[in-house]
């Protein structure tokens, strides 16, 4: 008989061990090995069988064992020292505190998922893992972030396989009382709650769970409360579950309810109110709408447009997808239904909300509300997550800046990084000999490890991986219906002395899980080579609604099930953080073969690199940026080949050839000590050069200095009594938009220009501009110049502001600039007019520019 409710009955801790509860509830243990050692010492078997979850451990350990430990002075002292270390970690000044008052006092970070630890399964893939690393790193650096998310009762699905290799999903229910979270309570002890309105005079209420991530609080909204009806209780049932309307409700709760929960948390705890709001992907975009509502309702006379300027000045938006299908889009009329009618807020017209997300640009669908488009319109600063992804994003969203060159679209990039203390194996950390692995000297020390010691360390990590694979593979086969009697072959699966390649990620089609299977005979030959064999460990989940992805998994599983190769290739179901922390260190090579340029970043390869693995990857995401020819291999791409099958054949052939000719050769060619010197040289180069680059500490410092600090400066600049400066900025923007059509570039000329110009010659560019109803202070007139291609397109353009030197009748102005020709070859120039205001993050922000007319009598601006 099944129980109708499951909960945990915890043992009461002895008084001198009470600090164990604080240590368990603070998720710093997930990246602090010394705290994990403490919990393992309580009961090593229970610690392992409980998934290395201290809350579960304390819920199941016997009272007798706790009494025994409470009488152990050494253990009691260990608990006290560990608790004191956590207290010092939480309160001491760190890197961020050195920035002073110019830095934001508080930063709100919104994400639909967080991968902190396997004990809190609130993540599905890279977006959540990145968010988790962002919070952990903020804790380490002392950045005053508050994380905001949802508490999904079933999290993301658990994956298993049927007998014929088809993915199956199950959704175990999470008990928050048995999770490392605590309930936020009001002063009277009642649970703190927020409410978000829904159409039809309905609402969804949510309580607030707090996961303490070191110094950083992560707030998680849970709609499974008694005040809600049955449908509303299910809003936070599953991560990325349900249809369009269900997803819209989740995103309203995350964005709108999240801002309200932030206010409640700051009121109760005294945490500084956030000055900067960071939206991690478009899912939480409605936070901007809620902030506008707050401002309009709290400030008499403030309009929607005024409040928009206040809100967007302090908002940062990060896009993570280069695939339009990965963006949440809702029917416009559905969003109108949810924000209009009896659910409308005074001062926040539904038409204004719809205008934020509508695809009213060339190539867009005007019947659709696009969450990423809203995110960009609500944020003054936006970024992609690698240099290449920034470039792709500028092209993907160029419709919002019609007429601008791609490089002018104001979306920058901050390349992702990973939280080294979470992802680097303890054996590798030990090689740093006490130096911090969050800085270059630590990676120098690891790279300076003696060859034989480094090689032995990697073999031990391979042994750990082999042991984990055999355990998980056996469990998988038992779930698939096999009996113990037919699984003896698993004892020989994988070999700790064989070159091990890892491939693990989500399974959308563009990541090409089965590219390695394009030529099964070729792959079989690689796996079974008598002298230089290769072994493959593969893992990944397909979205429950993605039958195409499930078919890819099934195809790979069926290949891996074959008797002739099953000891050399395995597919492990239920890829999660616990698996990843053994898989990355145990691999020698990390394989990544997406369709370029559809991989935004790809941080799994970073984690593998930090553990001494070499990347074998398509030049996409971060690898396009940091591959240097000696830290791994770049798989050639068939750029320009439109036939998908032919492209895959070409790139698979390149993959096989690289493994045969380069990868296995470097791994198996040994010196007289039995070591592979060429391989180890590449590993050491990777550790020394990539180690400091791929760190989340580098990433977060960039976010702080390049985005958060400028955002708070902008926010403060438009703040003030009754937000008068924001009102003035909104009025200026209205005036500029209304008057922009009156600008005319009438004539452009250059002195000192002939058919050929000697390098080093200065030329004077003059332009005559009628500004209409605007003044010179409202605009910047630029010369754009540089080398030109065969079509007279300026490549790698330089921009320089021109000086207004003379005014004529009719608000006509002459602007002038002297340009020195410092490069030979074909040269060209043009001019343009852009808006100018101190409160703009860039002159491209408003999407306005005036260009010269292409008239017969005007100089063509091309010098050859």
């Amino acid at each position: 008989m099944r129980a109708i409710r499951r909960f945990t009955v915890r043992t009461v801790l002895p008084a001198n061990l009470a600090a164990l509860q604080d240590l368990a509830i603070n998720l710093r243990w997930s990246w602090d090995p010394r705290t994990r050692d403490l919990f393992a010492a309580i009961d090593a078997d229970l610690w392992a069988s409980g998934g290395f979850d201290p809350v579960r451990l304390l819920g199941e350990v016997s009272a007798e064992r706790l009494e025994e430990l409470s009488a152990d002075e050494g253990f009691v002292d260990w608990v006290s020292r560990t608790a004191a270390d956590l207290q010092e970690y939480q309160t001491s000044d760190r890197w961020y505190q050195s920035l002073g008052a110019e830095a934001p006092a508080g930063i709100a970070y919104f994400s639909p998922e967080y991968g902190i630890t396997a004990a809190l399964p609130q993540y599905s893939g890279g977006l959540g893992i990145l968010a988790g690393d962002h919070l952990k790193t903020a804790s380490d650096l002392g950045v005053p972030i508050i994380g905001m998310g949802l508490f999904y009762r079933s999290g993301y699905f658990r994956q298993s396989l049927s007998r014929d290799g088809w993915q199956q999903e199950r959704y175990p229910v999470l008990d928050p009382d048995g999770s490392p979270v605590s309930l936020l309570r009001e002063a009277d002890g009642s649970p703190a709650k927020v409410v978000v309105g829904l159409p039809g005079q309905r609402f969804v209420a949510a309580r607030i769970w707090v996961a303490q991530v070191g110094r950083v609080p992560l707030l998680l909204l849970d709609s499974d409360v008694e005040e809600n009806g049955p449908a509303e209780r299910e809003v936070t049932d599953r991560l990325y579950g349900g249809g369009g309307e269900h997803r819209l409700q989740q995103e309203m709760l995350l964005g709108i309810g999240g801002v309200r929960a932030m206010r409640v948390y700051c009121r109760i705890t005294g945490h500084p109110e956030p000055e900067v709001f960071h939206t991690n992907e478009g899912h939480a975009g409605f936070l901007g709408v809620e902030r506008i509502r707050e401002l309009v309702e709290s400030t008499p006379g403030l309009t929607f447009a005024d409040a928009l300027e206040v809100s967007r000045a302090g908002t940062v938006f990060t896009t993570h997808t280069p695939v339009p299908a990965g963006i949440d889009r809702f029917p416009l009329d559905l969003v109108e239904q949810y924000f209009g009618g009896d659910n409308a807020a005074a001062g926040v017209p539904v038409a204004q909300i719809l205008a934020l997300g509508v695809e009213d640009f060339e190539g867009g669908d005007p019947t659709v509300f696009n969450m990423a488009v809203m995110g960009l319109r609500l944020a003054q600063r936006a970024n992609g997550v690698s240099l290449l992804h920034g470039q792709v994003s500028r092209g993907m969203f160029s419709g919002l800046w019609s007429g601008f060159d791609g490089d002018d679209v104001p979306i920058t990039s901050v390349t992702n990084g990973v939280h080294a203390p979470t992802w680097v194996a303890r054996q590798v950390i030990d090689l740093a000999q006490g130096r911090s692995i969050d800085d270059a000297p630590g990676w120098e020390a690891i790279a300076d490890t003696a060859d034989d010691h480094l090689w032995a360390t990697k073999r031990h990590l391979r042994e750990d991986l082999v042991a984990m694979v055999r355990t998980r593979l056996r469990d998988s086969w038992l779930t698939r219906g096999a009996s113990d009697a037919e699984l003896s072959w698993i004892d020989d699966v994988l070999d700790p002395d064989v070159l091990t390649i890892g491939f693990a990620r989500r399974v959308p089609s563009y990541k090409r899980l089965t590219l390695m299977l394009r030529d099964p005979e070729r792959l079989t030959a690689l796996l079974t080579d008598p002298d230089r064999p290769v072994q493959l460990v593969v893992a990944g989940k397909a979205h429950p609604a993605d039958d195409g992805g499930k078919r890819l998994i099934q195809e790979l599983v069926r290949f891996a099930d074959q008797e002739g190769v099953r000891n050399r290739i395995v597919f492990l179901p239920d890829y999660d953080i616990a698996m990843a922390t053994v898989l990355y260190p145990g691999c020698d090579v990390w394989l990544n073969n997406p369709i370029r340029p559809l991989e935004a970043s790809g941080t799994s390869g970073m984690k593998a690199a930090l553990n001494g693995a070499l990347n074998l990857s398509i030049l996409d995401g971060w690898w396009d940026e940091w591959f240097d020819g000696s830290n791994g291999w770049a798989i050639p791409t068939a750029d320009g080949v439109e036939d998908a099958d032919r492209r895959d054949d070409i790139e698979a052939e390149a993959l096989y050839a690289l493994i045969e000719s380069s990868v296995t050769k470097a791994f198996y060619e040994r010196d007289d000590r039995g070591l592979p010197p060429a391989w180890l040289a590449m590993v050491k180069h990777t550790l020394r050069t990539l180690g400091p680059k791929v760190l989340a500490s580098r990433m977060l410092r960039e976010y702080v200095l390049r985005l958060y600090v400028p955002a708070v400066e902008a926010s403060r600049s438009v703040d003030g009594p009754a937000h008068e400066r924001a009102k003035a900025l909104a009025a200026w923007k209205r005036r500029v938009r209304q008057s922009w059509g009156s600008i005319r570039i009438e004539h452009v000329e250059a002195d000192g220009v002939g058919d050929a110009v000697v390098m080093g010659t200065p030329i004077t560019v003059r332009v005559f501009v009628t500004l209409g109803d605007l003044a010179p202070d409202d605009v910047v007139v630029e010369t754009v110049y540089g080398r030109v291609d065969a079509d007279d397109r300026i490549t790698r353009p330089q921009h320089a502001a021109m000086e207004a030197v003379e005014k004529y009748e009719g608000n006509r102005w002459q602007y002038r600039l002297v340009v020195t020709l410092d490069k030979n070859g074909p040269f060209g120039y043009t001019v343009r007019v852009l808006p100018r205001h101190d409160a703009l993050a860039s002159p491209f922000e408003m999407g306005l520019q005036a260009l010269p007319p292409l008239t017969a009598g005007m100089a063509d601006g091309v010098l050859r």
Side-chain angles (χ1 to χ4, degrees), residues 106-119:
I107 300 158
Y109 183 86
F110 282 63
S111 178
E113 52 174 301
Y114 290 90
I116 309 289
T117 168

Side-chain angles (χ1 to χ4, degrees), residues 358-381:
V358 66
E359 296 183 356
D360 57 351
F361 44 80
E362 185 178 353
D365 182 347
T367 70
V368 162
F369 188 94
N370 185 309
M371 294 296 289
V373 166
M374 178 177 66
L376 289 165
R377 285 173 170 156
L378 281 170
Q380 192 172 37
R381 288 163 178 82

Side-chain angles (χ1 to χ4, degrees), residues 743-748 767-770 781 831-833 850-853 858:
I743 294 176
R744 295 286 183 273
I745 297 176
E746 297 181 353
H747 183 69
V748 184
V767 58
F768 296 87
V769 182
T770 296
V781 180
V831 297
R832 64 181 174 188
V833 184
L851 299 172
M858 183 169 291

Side-chain angles (χ1 to χ4, degrees), residues 109-115 122-132 148-150 152 156 218 220 239-240 254 280 283 506:
Y109 183 86
F110 282 63
S111 178
E113 52 174 301
Y114 290 90
Q122 301 289 315
Y123 60 94
S124 72
L127 178 69
I129 298 298
L130 184 280
M148 188 68 241
L150 302 179
Y152 305 98
Y156 203 51
L218 168 59
L220 301 170
L239 176 58
Y240 303 142
L254 174 61
N280 192 38
H283 308 282
R506 292 184 303 111

Side-chain angles (χ1 to χ4, degrees), residues 420-421 424-426 428-449 695:
V424 179
R426 197 165 184 175
V428 176
I429 294 175
D430 290 343
L431 299 179
Q433 300 179 343
R435 296 176 179 85
S436 170
I437 59 171
D438 269 331
D439 295 299
W443 293 101
E444 288 284 349
I446 295 171
D448 287 340
T449 301
L695 298 178

Side-chain angles (χ1 to χ4, degrees), residues 391-577:
Q391 177 185 331
V392 170
S393 298
R394 288 189 288 274
M396 186 172 168
F397 297 108
S398 61
L400 293 172
W401 290 271
S402 178
F404 284 82
D405 289 344
D407 288 344
D408 292 336
V409 172
I411 301 175
T412 186
S413 63
V414 176
T415 301
N416 280 344
V418 299
H419 185 247
T422 293
W423 300 110
V424 179
R426 197 165 184 175
Q427 296 95 318
V428 176
I429 294 175
D430 290 343
L431 299 179
Q433 300 179 343
R435 296 176 179 85
S436 170
I437 59 171
D438 269 331
D439 295 299
W443 293 101
E444 288 284 349
I446 295 171
D448 287 340
T449 301
D451 282 1
D452 57 347
H453 188 24
L454 181 58
W455 185 244
T457 300
K458 282 300 295 183
R459 190 186 188 282
H460 290 149
L461 295 170
R462 244 181 272 123
E463 286 180 326
D464 292 343
L465 173 59
V466 169
M468 185 267 284
V469 164
R470 291 174 181 174
T471 298
R472 285 188 175 244
L473 189 62
R474 184 179 299 277
D475 291 343
S476 175
W477 271 104
L478 291 173
T479 301
R480 294 173 69 181
S483 63
D484 278 319
E486 57 187 312
L487 297 179
S488 59
W489 60 273
I490 290 179
D491 294 336
D492 297 318
V493 166
L494 304 191
D495 182 333
D497 291 311
V498 168
L499 172 64
T500 305
I501 300 177
F503 181 101
R505 50 191 39 87
R506 292 184 303 111
V507 190
S509 59
Y510 75 88
K511 291 181 182 283
R512 296 193 295 188
L513 171 73
T514 56
L515 186 69
M516 63 186 78
L517 298 182
R518 295 297 293 185
D519 186 341
E521 292 183 2
R522 190 89 171 270
L523 177 58
T524 299
L526 287 169
L527 297 172
T528 60
D529 188 289
D531 300 315
R532 294 176 174 175
V534 169
Q535 57 195 15
L536 272 160
V537 182
V538 184
K541 293 179 176 180
H543 188 280
D546 182 10
D547 283 349
K550 293 180 184 180
R551 279 191 291 271
L552 295 178
I553 290 174
Q554 185 179 50
E555 181 183 351
L556 191 135
V557 169
R558 286 176 171 174
F559 178 85
D561 284 352
Q562 295 177 90
E563 187 172 349
V565 296
R566 64 187 183 184
N567 66 324
R568 287 283 183 262
I569 180 171
V570 297
F571 180 87
L572 298 181
D574 214 25
Y575 178 43
D576 64 0
I577 289 175

